Structure formats: C-alpha cells, structure tokens
Amino acid sequence: MSLEWFDRVSGELQDSLESICDKYDQNGGMSIERGAKHPRIEFYTEGEDIDREYFCTLFFDPHNEEFYMEAFEPDLGQISKVVLTDIEDIVDAVHERFHDYVNGDSVEEDLIDEEYVDEGLYMEEEELRDLDDRGEIQLLEEIDVDWETPEVTAFYQENDVEVTYQFGIVQETGDGVLKRVNRIWTDDDDMIRDETNFIFSKEEASTIIAMIASHMDSLTEMDYQGEV
C-alpha cells in the first residue's frame, strides 16, 4: 500500500482549485488527515466574516490506490462510493460540491441532516426528534461552533473501524461541543459514517473530567469484534 498518489494529489489540489474558481480562491481551503486508515482531504470555506464550514470530504483507499467520495442514494437509503480516477475528475467533483454548497444544495449537509441507523436505513429528522423526546437520541441543532481542534483519532482497527473526536465551542453560549465520528468499513469496502455530538457547560466539563479520572482504572481496553 502506497500513499504516493495521495501525496501527489494533495500537493496539486489546492492550486488547481484556486486556478479554476475565483470564489474558492477567496474563501476556500483544505485540511489533510494522512494518518487515518483511509487518509482524507476535507474542504472548507472561511474568511474574516465567515466561520469555517466543511462542504466536502475526499477519501483515499491506500489498498486500491484510489480516491473516492461518498454519495447518498435516496432510492436505496444508503451511502455509495464514487471513485475518482484522476486529478481532473477530483478537481471537477470538489468544484461541483463547492458550488452546490454555495447555492445551498450541499451533499455534505444532506448527509449530516439525516442520522444513519440500523446498517443503512435512515430516519427522518422528525422521527429522530420523537426519539430525542424519550431521551434516546440527542440532536445537535443548527448552531455556530468554533472547532478548536482537528479530528483526533481515538481508536483505530485496520480494515474495520475508526473513531475520532473533535472539540469545539458554541459561539452563542460558550458551551463545549464534543463531536464523535465513527467510520465503519463493510466487507464490500464501503464506509458507514455515524456522527454524534455532545454539548456541555464549563461546570459540567469539570464534573465529567473528575468522574472519568476517578474511574479510569475500572475501564478496560476496547476488544473490538465488529461493533462499536
């Protein structure tokens, strides 16, 4: 498995996007996560008056040495993998996602607005709110968050699962947000992405930290058997 193709594309992608799109050149950027099982490039917009917002994620499969994006298939109710064979296809795909985002028709937002449950089935937001009323699911409302850290890998099992965390601050309230992203790879090498968010106050944070610290010795390491 080689990351040579990933590194070459990463090095050329930013300049290529800036050269074909003035709007992206003004506010667009990208971050690279090379240490994940499937390295990824995440694209975002930000500026002096614009908070950072991610609109596209490009993944790299080092085993097959290919780039791909996720696409939601409404008829099938699942996420499919769209393989991009060369740098031109990648630039065109990111460019298209960028303008979808600018026009308010972002594929990334469509995937986030729905919660992935039960191995490929989706539930509508109203159904999720009903579950939330019973304390089963907590939804993150549309709020402005300043992400203070990048995604940090907390657990990784090759060819199976990756769990990452990211910490942010809610702009309006000053509360903390902990985002957990769980990526699971199926036997067909498709990826299932599940995201949960936990909001807490400064007073709660100190209590949570104290509770975890006092019970660390009681925890055991994760013995992953295909479920998280």
Side-chain angles (χ1 to χ4, degrees), residues 17-67:
L17 287 167
E18 290 176 355
S19 65
I20 67 172
C21 183
D22 291 338
K23 287 186 177 180
Y24 185 91
D25 186 21
Q26 294 172 6
N27 298 314
M30 69 183 204
S31 60
I32 300 173
E33 178 53 65
R34 197 176 185 275
K37 172 191 171 183
H38 280 202
R40 58 187 179 271
I41 305 173
E42 296 180 305
F43 300 87
Y44 58 85
T45 60
E46 68 176 353
E48 294 182 0
D49 300 321
I50 303 175
D51 297 321
R52 177 174 295 192
E53 293 187 2
Y54 291 88
F55 64 87
C56 178
T57 302
L58 176 68
F59 296 94
F60 180 72
D61 181 348
H63 179 74
N64 297 310
E65 297 189 358
E66 62 184 18
F67 283 92

Side-chain angles (χ1 to χ4, degrees), residues 15 20 46 53 81 92 106 130 138 146 163 196 199 205 224:
D15 291 340
I20 67 172
E46 68 176 353
E53 293 187 2
K81 183 171 72 173
D92 289 343
S106 173
D130 291 339
Q138 180 179 3
D146 290 328
V163 180
T196 55
I199 300 177
Y224 181 73

Side-chain angles (χ1 to χ4, degrees), residues 9 103 129:
V9 170
N103 296 329
R129 290 187 186 279

